[in-house]
Each structure stands twice: as C-alpha cells, then as structure tokens.
Amino acid sequence: MSAATEVDVVVVGAGVAGLVAALRARAAGASVLVLGKSSGASFAWSGSVDVADSLVGMVPGSAVAGLERGDAVEDAIVQTAGRLPRHPYARLGAARVNVRDALRFLVDAVPSLALSLRPDGKNHVLATALGTVKRGALVSRSQLLDLAELPSSAVVGVVEWRDLAGFNARPVSEMLRFCCGLGAGHRAPRFVDVVVPRVNGGEVFLDNAIFAAALDDDAERLRFLQALQLRLAAIDPAPTHLLMPAALGTRPLSKEALDDVDKKVGRPLRELLALPPSVPGRRLITALRDAATAAGVDVRDASVMAPVIEAGRVVSLEVQRGPERQQVRPRVVVLASGRFFGGGLVRDHEARESLFGLPVVVDGQPLGDRFIGSLTGDSVDGDHAIFRAGLAVDDALAPLDHSQRRVLDNVVCAGSVIGGFDPSRDGAALGVHVWTSWLAGSLAADAAKFSALGPGGQAQDLA
Amino acid sequence: MAASQNYDVIVLGGGVNGAGIARDCARRGIRVLLVEKNDLAKGASGANTGMIHGGIRYLRYDVHTTKMACTDSGYIQRIAPHLLFRIPFIVPVMKPKDAHFSATLADHLYLEGAEIFFEAYDEYQPLKRGKPHTRLSKAEALALEPGLTDDILGAVTMDEWGIDPFRLVVENAIDAVEHGATVLTWHDLVGFQKDNKGAVVGVDVEDRVSGSKATYTAGVVVNATGAWGPRTAALAGGWYQLRPGKGVHIVYSHRISNFGLVMTGVDGRQMFLMPHENGSIVGTTDDDYYGDLDNPRATEDEVKYILQAARVVFPAIDKYRMSRTYVGIRPTLWAWAKNEDRLSREHEFYDHAPQGVPGLISVAGGKLASYRQLAEEVTAEIAQRLGNRVACTTHSAPLPGAEDAIDVDAWTKDLPKRHRLAVSRMAYRHGSRSKKILAVVDDDPRQVVSTCLCEPVCEAELRACIKGELVRRLVDVRRRTRQSMGACGGTRCLARTSQLLLEEAQLTPAEQLVELQGAMTARFTGKRPVFEGANLATEELNQAMHFLGANLQPFFQAARVACDDVAHRRAEAAPADAPVTRLLALVAPSVIIPAPLPEDRR
Ligand SMILES: Cc1cc2nc3c(=O)[nH]c(=O)nc-3n(C[C@H](O)[C@H](O)[C@H](O)COP(=O)(O)OP(=O)(O)OC[C@H]3O[C@@H](n4cnc5c(N)ncnc54)[C@H](O)[C@@H]3O)c2cc1C
Ligand SMILES: Cc1cc2nc3c(=O)[nH]c(=O)nc-3n(C[C@H](O)[C@H](O)[C@H](O)COP(=O)(O)OP(=O)(O)OC[C@H]3O[C@@H](n4cnc5c(N)ncnc54)[C@H](O)[C@@H]3O)c2cc1C
C-alpha cells in the first residue's frame, strides 16, 4: 500500500459478510481491498447457515418436535418477511428472490467445505455440541448428519475422547435422546456413548481447536481413528453412525479424506455443530480469504479509523496495522463491521456505529441512550430488542438517518451490521448476512463504476 | 405430610448467621436442622463487600462495633486462614473545595485530621493482625496507584482483610453437617407448628426441587432469615422491625487498582473501590428498601451513582470494563430517623414470648465480620435453654480446609504449568482439602483443565463441589467456586457445568435444561445494568452461542413443560412469608441480653 492508495471498493471487516461482498465486487470487475481484524462473530460460527425456519415463532413449549424440518426454506423466507416487518427479508422484499443465488455463490466460493443444500429445499436437522438439535439450510460435508433422515433402526454413537478435555458423551447422548424424542415417537434413532481410551501419553488437548490441529497430521489422525475403531468393537448395540466434536482437522477434509475416515471406522463419522472456540468458523473464514486472495482481492489484517468525509462522501480512511498508519481513498466503502461482538456497533453512554458514528436503530427507533431495561427481557432466553439493533438501510443498502435520509453517499452496508432482526431468535442468521453482502458487493462495484450509488430504488434491479 | 423428625433446634436461614449458629450448635452436640429457602449465602451474606473489616466506618459514632468486629475478625483469620486475603487501602485526602484562607495551612490541617482518625483505628488493628497506618505524600500515593486523581494532598494507608463470603457460609454449613447437623437448602417454609398454648414447636417445609413436604419439630426455632426476618416471624404471629438497606456493587472482572481506595458519594457516603478475588469491586449504595426481597435489582442509575463517586478519586475507572452488578439487602437494626448510613451494624436477638409466641427467637442485624460472635451468643442462649454445658469451639476449631498445610507446589509438581493458577485458586477455596480433590486427576487428566477461562476453575473442583458441598442446583455451583463470575459471565462455562450436574447429581436432560436456564438468567440479571462496551458484545456472543449455535430456546421451553408436569424445580420461592403490616403489634418482643463472652481467649 503506498501513501493514499486509491481503490474502487474498500471493505471494512473481514468476517463472512466482508469477504463475500469483496468476492462479489471483484467478480463484477472492481478493485477491492478488505481491511479487517481477525475477530468477530464469524469465527464463532457453529457450522450451519440459517436462512429461514418456518417452525420458528410458532412452536410453543410442548409442541416442540425435535426431528421436524418444517417447510421449504424459500417459503420460510416469505413467512419470515410476513412475521417480522423490519426484517431485511421484508424491507428489501424485491431482492428476496435472490437469496438462492447468494447461497449458491457462497457454496461455489468455498468448494473445499462442500456446503450443501437439501435437494427438497428444506432445512437439515443437525445435532449440536450440547446434544440439542437445530435446523439449518447449508452445512459442510464433515458436519452433515441429518438426524431426521436416519431410519429408526439407526444407532448413533457419540464419541468422547479421553484425550480431549471438556466433552463427555453421556450428557450429549442423553440430551439428544430427549430432544429427538420430543414429538417424534418411534422415528427417533438410538444414541449410545463411545468413550475412547487415551491414545496420547502426555498432556490432554485443552479444547477442540487444539485437538483439530493435532488431527491435521495424517499419521496422528490414523492413530486416533484406530483407537476409536478398536473401542467400537465393544459397543453394543453397534453404532451405525458416529458424531464427535468438530475437531476433524483445522482445514476442511476433502471428500476422499472423509471417505477414508469413514472406511477406517467402518461407518460415517461426522462432527457436531460447534461452540466457540469454533473450528468450523475458522475453516469458513480461511476458505473465504483464500478464495478472495486467489480472485485478486487484497485482504489485510488492519483496523480502519478516522474517516474523512466531504460533501456526504467518504473520501479517505486511515488504516492502522501495528504501528503503521496509512491513508486509503475509496470510491465506495462496504461497511461489514458486524454488530456489538464484531465491533461495528458500540453502546457506552450512547449507542452508535463505531466507524462513522452512524445512528443505530432498534425496532424503528433511535437506540441513542435509551434505558437498557426497556431493551432487554427479564430472562436470558427472553425477547431482547437490543440484539435486533443495527443500521437502517435503503434498497441500495445505504445507511439511513432517523428521518430515513441517506447519510453517506458512497457507503454500502453488508452483513450483520444491518439491523432489524435478532439472529439468535428469528431462525435466520448467516443466510441473511450472506445475502445482504452478496447484494452489497454488486451494488458497490456498480457504484464504483458510475461514481455514484444507485437511487435507492429496487435493489433487485441492481443485484 | 411425609416425613417428621425431631431436633433440638431448627435454624431458619442459611446466611452467615444461620450457618454460624448451626455450626456452633452442632459442635456442642445439639441436634440442629438448618432450613434455607434458596441456597446458602443467597441473601446478604453472598452480596456484601466481602470485608472482614474492623468497621472503620463506625469508628466515628460506634466504637463498640469497631472493637467487636476487630476481635472477631481475628478469630475468623484463625479458623479460616485460607479464605482471607489482605487488602491494603489508600485513603486519599482530597483538596478541600472550600478553602478560602491560606491553602497550605488548610492542607496541613486536613492531613493532620485524617491522621488522628487513623491513629484511633490503629489501636484495634492488632486484634485482627492488621498493620498500623502510614502517611503517603502525594507523589508516593500516585506512584503506588497511578489511576488516582492528582487532586489530592496526600493519603493515608489502612489495612483490611477480604474474604470469600460464599465459602465462609458454605464451610460453616459443611462443618455443621460433619458434626451431625442436617442442612436443607431450597426448602420453602410453609408454616410453623404450634402446640395448644401457641408455642412454636416446629416447622412445615416443602422441597422446592422435588415438591415433597415434611414437618420437623424442635424445642427452639431460631429465625435467622436476615432481611426477611420480620416476615418469617409474622408467619408465626411474632413481630419486630428492621430497616432493610439495599446495597449495590459493580464488579470488574480483573484488577483495576493495586489497592483499595476510599471514596465519597455525592451524598457524602463513604464507598470503596477495591481488589476482590481475581477482580475489583466498587460500592456500595445504601438505601432504605421496601421492594421485593426475593428479587432485588440493580438499576443503571445506581451504577451511575457509584461511578460518579469513583471517578472523583480514580478517574481511570472509565477505561475499564464492568462485568456485572450484584445487590444485597442488609438486615439493619431498626432505628427511627437516622440517615441510612449511620444505622448501627450491631446485632440484637428477640424472644417472641411476650407476644404469645414462645419458642421463637429472632436474630436481627449483624455483620459478616462478627457473625461468629453473634452465633456464639445465640447458641449460648439455646444451650442454656436446653441445659447443654459444652463449651464453644468455633473461635479455635478450623473450618473445613483449614485443618492441614496447603502445598500448591507439591500438588502441581507433576502437572503442566498452565494449570497452576486453577489449582492455586482451588487451594484458596478448599484449603488443604484440595489435595483429595486433585487425586482424580491421576486417572483422568482432563479434570485438571479449567472449565472457565476468566475464573480458572478446573473440572475436578466442580465435580467435587457438586458431590460434596451441599449443591442441589446449578446456581449453587457459582457460589462455591466463583465459576461464571468472571468477565464472560458464564458464556463459556455454564452449559458445560450443567452437563457435569447431570452426571454427578443424576439429573434428567429436562432438569439440566431448567437448571441451565435458571443459572443463565441469574447471570443475565446481574449483567444487564452494565450492558455496554465489551460487556454487551460478550452478551451478544452468549446469546449466539446458546440460542443460535445450540438452539436452546425451544428446548428450554419444552424442558420447563416437562418439569412442570411433576411440579418441581421452581425458580421462584413461594411467598410463604406473611405480609408485615407496619406497627400492627403493640407488644414488643423482649430483647435477649447475651451473656458476655470470655475476653482474650486463645
Ligand atoms: C457463537 C455463534 C454461533 C453462531 N451460529 C450460527 C449458526 O448456527 N447459524 C447461522 O446462520 N449463524 C450463526 N452465527 C452467526 C454468524 O456466524 C454471524 O452472524 C456472522 O458470521 C456475522 O458476520 P459478519 O461478517 O456480519 O460479522 P463479523 O463476523 O462480526 O465481522 C465483522 C468484522 O469487522 C471487523 N471490524 C469491525 N470494525 C472494524 C474496523 N473499524 N476496522 C477493521 N475491522 C473492523 C471485526 O473485527 C470483524 O472481523 C453464529 C454466531 C456466533 C457468534
Ligand atoms: C451491600 C452490603 C455490603 C456489606 N458489606 C459487609 C462487609 O464488608 N463486611 C461485613 O462484615 N458485613 C457486611 N455486610 C453485612 C453482612 O453481609 C450481613 O449483615 C450478613 O450477611 C447478614 O447475614 P444473615 O445470615 O443474617 O442474613 P442473610 O445472609 O440475608 O441470610 C438470610 C437467609 O435467610 C433465607 N430465608 C429468607 N426467608 C426464609 C424462610 N422463610 N425460610 C428459610 N430461609 C429463609 C434467605 O434466603 C437468606 O439466605 C454487608 C451487607 C450488604 C447488603
């Protein structure tokens, strides 16, 4: 980077949203620079891409059915828009038809993960690290074990490694039994514990990420799989499928490598959806960064600060990397800086977007210095308006102020920094972020070409 | 009524006073039952400043409290040395704002005045092995505590002791059990048993976890339910008054100052900012409280009141991340027309016989620092009624964990270095008993790994605590181990601990989920008033982990339904306490005058 580099599109944030937007803008011919810190929500991702869920918001208590998969995802998108008028699916309604294209773009961008959709267009039903189950539209090959598809004769073994701290099979298998049993009757598979004795003599692995790093080594992986296979011989009833914590290597296993794993242990061995420190989150970010770099995107670990704004346009940004500081002059900025956890939003005395000081909106009202008590429910799993907070955008994804006017003319928002829904409650999460960032990439490339952002008309036309 | 069993004494309330009384009784061979409606230390005893201090605050108007606190503080050090930590304080002497005459003279007088005050306190310091004060110049004070304001003339040091108040209560209760007592936690008091003359002869209780009911009888019932006390007594037809005072603290999950600091609120009240365990705490407010005793809540305004005061002496405070708040209600003795801060911390005991309710004794007031003395006085009265002549040993007999030497070096010799911190924190909590807890690690080295990154607590400690420390519910684990009290407030560790509870306490998955929801909500309530900055970011992660990645919400609901079917595991305590109508009884209880305790015993 020379002093005051000029770029078509500068992307702030190197999470999933920033990288997807960068890839799309690059594909549309723009020169792209991604600036981000290596932290944020994307690194904690469980491994499932939640796009929409027809069963969310309509299944109270006793009606929970663990193995139900609900309607087709595309129908669920429409239902979500109907249920939540401030959701991007409702606000950017016309562009909604593109969600499938956005997801396919992601699938194609990271072939190594082999993310897959179900042929029937419905959600997968997947097991989590706690033994609960959840629905998700996309999941990578190594985590794909659809519980609702297994015959009732299936026996799923939950694998506990005595070399790995923090994971015991019994609470997980018991929870799976409970969750899958809800409303499922005889369809639920059986679950058994598979406790594998120690393989290593020395220290145990402190967490999944460290274990995964050890399993990157082919010989090491083999040793562990042999121990598992040995143990399996003594398990009755014999498992037909196996689930273990998401630690089968820090990099995605190729199809051949995974087939090989299955062969070694004599049945499919898949990973549970992860809790942080999440290996799938790392895999996804690494794959996206590699793809972006290969496509000619410049991706750098850096923080962006001190924007200079002239006549409603961002003319330069300061980039800090260690002690170094540099200026970049973007034609268009894609703001993909995440929410509170990513650092895109802050609330101390007053809430604001952290780079440009843009107003943060919650349920159509400015967040400002509102009393936290009115923004949170009383129980942890209650309804918390604060986690629907984010930027309000127009159809061209440009940020709006409280009177619905565009604040900055060459800024396009992408991913979770856009508010209007709570990813942890509404059945739609990364799927929405992938879609908005895919739109944003294309909008930004166009705007860079024409030196102006579209009029905020139909985002569908621009996409 | 299922079970019925006889005791000599029933103690109601598992705070420090109830647990202390139960321990003293048990050690004198008195058959004692302790009934607590929540967990041990759920009330004021788990929500205080955690200081075994000499009560310098009371020195100006209540010398007796100061002396009593210093003496008993000495005994507490003797019986639980593992739980105490020294907190050196810096008392900044601020520039007077209204000095019209010669500034230098005024400055001089101010410093002198402060010093005379501390000289008076020095007199009591040896009682609690405290060091005498020293005077610091402005430069010295700033060098020691760089975050301090430079608006000071100088400073004076003061020596105090901190304690883990949860452990103090729990270890008293465990010692009681080891000497024959029965401890029932999570038991609602449904009513009192009376004989035909109206005397209290027992209690009816209901287990909040299993739903089972039981009646227990005893010759004496001691009401040690703290701020709830008047309501408890009212249920039996007795009456007395307290002036409950709400106190809020803010917690910083790491050390923000090297020393304790004394500061003054906008209303002139004294408050503290000090290191506590692995973090720092700031507080406390003190306001008359008329709200729901079972669900006191801190507000953002109370947080602002504390921060405003802290900022004056320690402007650096705004740079640090608050991680949560906690609230306690002081069972302060009743007195008319005194400002809250000046109310006495001394204790009193009442006999409700004049009100036609013999057999019931109520304990009012008290302090952490003098709980042992309070317990001894109450137990002496009980012993006298029962004709028991066994001497008190609670001032010299070690609490669990204080029996033998603590040798962290030897215990961690064969372990990877990284686990040393968790083991040394365990040694602080469990003292010499840590050795036994660590024995499992030989067979299963996973158990030495910390389950919590912010408050290092290893799995072995959690399992031992669930099995052997009167744990019934997930929230109980936090009080005994500090797990989930660190920066992330249980984000990383609570779900894992609920799994350990399933394994060690034989829960069903539905019960595990109900417990997890309850414990996460308890943490959420404490964090909410300080949802800002990094703390709000962490809560977003917490929400995503549990409700997005692990999709817990529908299963929390399903589990609640499954558990409701058998009507148990209630989160809320039953409002067994009768409403107290103000001044309804004209007959006062009689005040029990305790026999003087032996002076200067060793
Ligand atoms: C524990 C967890 C589990 C999840 N599970 C699921 C799931 O099961 N299904 C699902 O669909 N979704 C899930 N998600 C959600 C999903 O992972 C996130 O919503 C998504 O990754 C957000 O992506 P983002 O790029 O918008 O934000 P982030 O990943 O937060 O990225 C924002 C980036 O911007 C950077 N940044 C901010 N400000 C600056 C600046 N000034 N300069 C430079 N860089 C800056 C940050 O450092 C960060 O890297 C989960 C999330 C979490 C946390
Ligand atoms: C903010 C604050 C700061 C303080 N700082 C200090 C300090 O630094 N040093 C110090 O020495 N002292 C301090 N104190 C004072 C000290 O904490 C209390 O005086 C002491 O803990 C009181 O103990 P207790 O056992 O009487 O009451 P509590 O601890 O309140 O115990 C009463 C118990 O009774 C239970 N209960 C209620 N109703 C029933 C029922 N019907 N049946 C059964 N059980 C019932 C409650 O659940 C509770 O656990 C402070 C207090 C507060 C609030």
Side-chain angles (χ1 to χ4, degrees):
Chain A
M1 233 185 300
S2 65
T5 316
E6 290 203 20
V7 205
D8 288 342
V9 178
V10 170
V11 180
V12 180
V16 176
L19 292 166
V20 167
L23 275 163
R24 183 91 197 283
R26 183 75 197 117
S31 64
V32 185
L33 171 64
V34 178
L35 300 164
K37 296 175 266 190
S38 41
S39 58
S42 301
F43 292 89
W45 176 62
S46 76
S48 154
V49 179
D50 297 17
V51 178
D53 185 345
S54 65
L55 297 174
V56 165
M58 53 173 297
V59 275
S62 57
V64 174
L67 294 181
E68 216 57 67
R69 62 171 102 250
D71 301 340
V73 175
E74 299 209 1
D75 296 332
I77 291 175
V78 178
Q79 292 163 18
T80 306
R83 189 162 50 86
L84 307 168
R86 297 184 200 287
H87 195 287
Y89 285 153
R91 298 294 298 266
L92 308 174
R96 212 161 59 201
V97 294
N98 296 313
V99 173
R100 199 189 333 164
D101 297 333
L103 296 179
R104 198 153 298 141
F105 183 84
L106 175 70
V107 170
D108 292 343
V110 288
S112 61
L113 264 70
L115 291 169
S116 69
L117 286 158
R118 276 180 64 84
D120 65 3
K122 296 186 177 183
N123 279 317
H124 297 285
V125 177
L126 306 163
T128 79
L130 293 183
T132 51
V133 298
K134 73 169 264 144
R135 292 173 291 272
L138 288 178
V139 65
S140 69
R141 188 195 290 118
S142 66
Q143 291 182 291
L144 176 54
L145 183 72
D146 192 315
L147 294 172
E149 210 167 56
L150 298 178
S152 54
S153 61
V155 178
V156 179
V158 178
V159 180
E160 166 182 337
W161 303 95
R162 281 180 58 99
D163 287 284
L164 171 64
F167 186 88
N168 297 89
R170 182 156 83 86
V172 174
S173 63
E174 289 203 15
M175 188 61 71
L176 280 166
R177 221 166 279 139
F178 171 71
C179 294
C180 292
L182 288 166
H186 64 282
R187 277 206 305 128
R190 296 174 68 180
F191 295 95
V192 295
D193 302 342
V194 181
V195 180
V196 186
R198 293 209 60 188
V199 175
N200 271 356
E203 216 187 321
V204 295
F205 301 107
L206 300 182
D207 61 37
N208 294 349
I210 297 171
F211 188 33
L215 295 188
D216 277 340
D217 182 85
D218 289 342
E220 191 74 350
R221 191 163 66 238
L222 190 62
R223 252 178 5 117
F224 278 91
L225 294 177
Q226 272 164 351
L228 169 57
Q229 189 207 16
L230 211 63
R231 179 76 195 113
L232 282 167
I235 306 287
D236 183 38
T240 53
H241 300 76
L242 297 169
L243 281 169
M244 66 168 268
L248 273 173
T250 57
R251 294 181 299 268
L253 287 184
S254 66
K255 178 158 190 328
E256 296 67 42
L258 194 61
D259 286 348
D260 198 39
V261 167
D262 292 357
K263 219 162 60 229
K264 288 272 161 26
V265 296
R267 62 218 91 196
L269 169 60
R270 296 293 175 270
E271 300 171 314
L272 296 158
L273 294 180
L275 295 176
S278 156
V279 174
R282 299 245 155 220
R283 286 181 195 146
L284 176 59
I285 288 290
T286 309
L288 280 171
R289 278 182 87 119
D290 291 350
T293 309
V297 174
D298 192 357
V299 185
R300 304 190 175 205
D301 284 308
S303 324
V304 182
M305 50 222 285
V308 177
I309 292 159
E310 282 167 16
R313 294 178 65 84
V314 180
V315 294
S316 88
L317 293 165
E318 186 172 289
V319 180
Q320 189 186 14
R321 197 179 174 197
E324 272 172 66
R325 273 162 201 247
Q326 280 178 311
Q327 299 292 317
V328 286
R329 303 183 68 82
R331 282 172 186 273
V332 181
V333 176
V334 173
L335 188 62
S337 50
R339 291 199 187 167
F340 298 107
F341 186 64
L345 309 179
V346 280
R347 174 183 190 270
D348 32 44
H349 306 295
E350 183 145 345
R352 65 198 180 283
E353 178 279 320
S354 60
L355 184 59
F356 302 112
L358 298 167
V360 178
V361 173
V362 74
D363 294 348
Q365 302 288 323
L367 181 54
D369 64 351
R370 272 172 69 190
F371 179 53
I372 194 72
S374 65
L375 299 165
T376 43
D378 280 342
S379 66
V380 70
D381 54 335
D383 177 61
H384 310 308
I386 187 79
F387 297 119
R388 294 192 285 270
L391 301 181
V393 294
D394 65 14
D395 284 0
L397 298 180
L400 300 176
D401 67 11
H402 294 319
S403 39
Q404 308 295 310
R405 274 192 304 263
R406 259 191 205 173
V407 198
L408 292 169
D409 261 345
N410 62 339
V411 173
V412 182
C413 302
S416 59
V417 74
I418 300 171
F421 70 110
D422 180 348
S424 302
R425 292 294 183 284
D426 297 335
L430 191 54
V432 185
H433 307 325
V434 166
W435 169 60
T436 57
S437 47
W438 177 81
L439 290 172
S442 148
L443 290 161
D446 284 350
K449 217 176 294 168
F450 304 117
S451 296
L453 205 52
Q458 297 296 304
Q460 171 194 13
D461 305 334
L462 298 162
Chain B
M1 295 285 135
S4 172
Q5 217 175 324
N6 297 331
Y7 290 89
D8 295 330
V9 189
I10 294 170
V11 179
L12 303 173
V16 74
N17 288 328
I21 294 167
R23 176 185 193 228
D24 203 341
C25 286
R27 286 190 152 263
R28 297 192 207 199
I30 298 170
R31 288 172 307 153
V32 56
L33 168 71
L34 178 70
V35 179
E36 161 58 52
K37 77 169 174 180
N38 295 299
D39 181 26
L40 300 168
K42 170 72 197 306
S45 304
N48 47 58
T49 315
M51 274 167 76
I52 295 299
H53 61 106
I56 188 164
R57 280 213 281 182
Y58 316 122
L59 193 56
R60 275 177 295 169
Y61 42 89
D62 191 357
V63 183
H64 183 66
T65 300
T66 306
K67 175 160 188 214
M68 185 166 101
C70 284
T71 309
D72 224 43
S73 171
Y75 291 138
I76 295 170
Q77 280 172 48
R78 180 161 158 200
I79 63 173
H82 59 298
L83 293 184
L84 279 116
F85 47 92
R86 198 180 276 277
I87 311 178
F89 267 84
I90 290 181
V91 187
V93 180
M94 306 291 292
K95 283 199 177 127
K97 289 216 169 59
D98 47 0
H100 298 305
F101 56 102
S102 154
T104 41
L105 179 64
D107 289 2
H108 188 69
L109 285 175
Y110 249 74
L111 270 174
E112 283 300 311
E115 190 142 25
I116 288 167
F117 182 66
F118 284 96
E119 264 160 23
Y121 192 47
D122 284 349
E123 224 175 279
Y124 302 100
Q125 284 283 18
L127 291 170
K128 61 185 184 75
R129 270 175 274 176
K131 302 202 161 101
H133 83 279
T134 51
R135 186 158 144 179
L136 301 175
S137 71
K138 176 176 170 177
E140 285 167 333
L142 287 172
L144 288 169
E145 193 57 76
L148 213 57
T149 174
D150 57 8
D151 235 10
I152 53 170
L153 299 173
V156 179
T157 65
M158 168 177 84
D159 200 28
E160 294 290 5
W161 293 94
I163 195 165
D164 182 328
F166 306 101
R167 297 291 318 169
L168 181 64
V169 178
V170 169
E171 290 180 12
N172 267 280
I174 291 174
D175 197 55
V177 171
E178 289 178 357
H179 287 85
T182 306
V183 173
L184 299 177
T185 59
W186 299 100
H187 274 68
D188 273 332
L189 174 67
V190 181
F192 286 90
Q193 288 277 320
K194 292 192 176 186
D195 66 11
N196 49 19
K197 294 197 202 74
V200 168
V201 293
V203 294
D204 300 326
V205 298
E206 182 178 332
D207 186 335
R208 285 172 62 185
V209 177
S210 72
S212 67
K213 297 183 165 136
T215 295
Y216 299 100
T217 60
V220 187
V221 176
V222 178
N223 166 20
T225 54
W228 290 261
R231 287 164 185 271
T232 311
L235 201 60
W239 172 84
Y240 68 105
Q241 263 188 305
L242 290 177
R243 242 184 103 177
K246 181 186 183 190
V248 173
H249 284 86
I250 306 174
V251 184
Y252 290 79
S253 48
H254 61 279
R255 291 286 170 92
I256 66 171
S257 71
N258 300 320
F259 296 87
L261 296 172
V262 178
M263 64 205 208
T264 310
V266 61
D267 49 0
R269 294 188 46 262
Q270 199 177 63
M271 291 190 271
F272 305 118
L273 182 166
M274 61 186 171
H276 184 79
E277 309 251 354
N278 285 344
S280 287
I281 56 177
V282 196
T284 158
T285 62
D286 191 347
D287 295 295
D288 272 343
Y289 185 71
Y290 303 103
D292 179 0
L293 291 170
D294 292 313
N295 293 297
R297 295 260 163 115
T299 67
E300 265 183 328
D301 285 353
E302 284 163 322
V303 168
K304 282 181 185 145
Y305 162 87
I306 297 170
L307 288 180
Q308 182 188 34
R311 218 169 270 138
V312 175
V313 291
F314 192 72
I317 191 138
D318 287 321
K319 286 200 305 221
Y320 299 104
R321 167 190 175 165
M322 298 182 274
S323 68
R324 63 191 161 91
T325 58
Y326 61 86
V327 199
I329 311 297
R330 302 171 179 83
T332 317
L333 291 186
W334 184 80
W336 191 255
K338 274 192 183 177
N339 176 290
E340 293 92 329
D341 199 38
R342 299 290 168 87
L343 296 173
S344 169
R345 262 51 174 191
E346 280 206 68
H347 50 256
E348 281 188 349
F349 322 127
Y350 307 120
D351 183 341
H352 294 281
Q355 299 167 335
V357 195
L360 180 67
I361 295 175
S362 287
V363 175
K367 282 174 49 62
L368 210 57
S370 52
Y371 89 93
R372 199 215 55 82
Q373 178 187 346
L374 180 150
E376 184 176 351
E377 289 172 1
V378 175
T379 308
E381 169 73 18
I382 296 167
Q384 196 201 349
R385 290 189 186 191
L386 297 171
N388 176 305
R389 294 174 176 285
V390 181
C392 174
T393 53
T394 59
H395 63 290
S396 58
L399 280 171
E403 302 96 340
D404 293 305
I406 297 171
D407 193 348
V408 178
D409 292 333
W411 298 338
T412 51
K413 172 165 73 26
D414 301 327
L415 294 173
K417 274 225 164 48
R418 68 171 104 246
H419 303 307
R420 221 192 121 88
L421 182 57
V423 173
S424 71
R425 294 301 294 159
M426 173 173 19
Y428 163 69
R429 288 185 281 267
H430 299 266
S432 52
R433 294 190 177 193
S434 312
K435 191 175 172 193
K436 196 165 146 238
I437 298 175
L438 271 172
V440 298
V441 170
D442 288 343
D443 172 53
D444 187 359
R446 291 176 298 180
Q447 291 203 35
V448 76
V449 177
S450 280
T451 51
C452 176
L453 298 179
C454 0
E455 280 282 342
V457 187
C458 68
E459 191 178 308
E461 180 179 349
L462 291 175
R463 289 185 187 269
C465 158
I466 293 168
K467 280 183 289 200
E469 296 207 306
L470 304 165
V471 164
R472 299 195 68 201
R473 309 191 65 169
L474 186 54
V475 283
D476 303 355
V477 175
R478 163 173 74 92
R479 297 194 188 87
R480 287 151 183 80
T481 62
R482 291 191 65 78
Q483 198 213 29
S484 83
M485 290 208 197
C488 77
T491 301
R492 179 84 184 264
C493 59
L494 274 179
R496 173 66 184 147
T497 312
S498 74
Q499 296 182 328
L500 301 182
L501 197 69
L502 176 139
E503 290 192 313
E504 301 293 348
Q506 278 76 48
L507 300 194
T508 65
E511 290 168 345
Q512 180 201 336
L513 291 175
V514 170
E515 290 303 318
L516 180 57
Q517 197 273 347
M520 286 180 68
T521 294
R523 299 285 68 197
F524 183 82
T525 308
K527 290 184 278 188
R528 187 158 70 150
V530 292
F531 271 166
E532 56 177 69
N535 206 34
L536 182 58
T538 305
E539 185 58 23
E540 190 183 286
L541 175 69
N542 190 33
Q543 292 282 325
M545 256 182 78
H546 292 96
F547 303 120
L548 183 50
N551 192 31
L552 278 168
Q553 204 202 26
F555 300 108
F556 275 171
Q557 289 175 18
R560 221 167 298 154
V561 172
C563 289
D564 276 355
D565 286 349
V566 284
H568 71 226
R569 260 171 223 279
R570 283 204 311 275
E572 302 286 323
D577 14 10
V580 217
T581 311
R582 269 162 231 238
L583 299 172
L584 81 177
L586 296 172
V587 187
S590 62
V591 177
I592 298 173
I593 310 293
L597 302 183
E599 288 256 347
D600 296 329
R601 58 185 172 190
R602 278 277 95 184

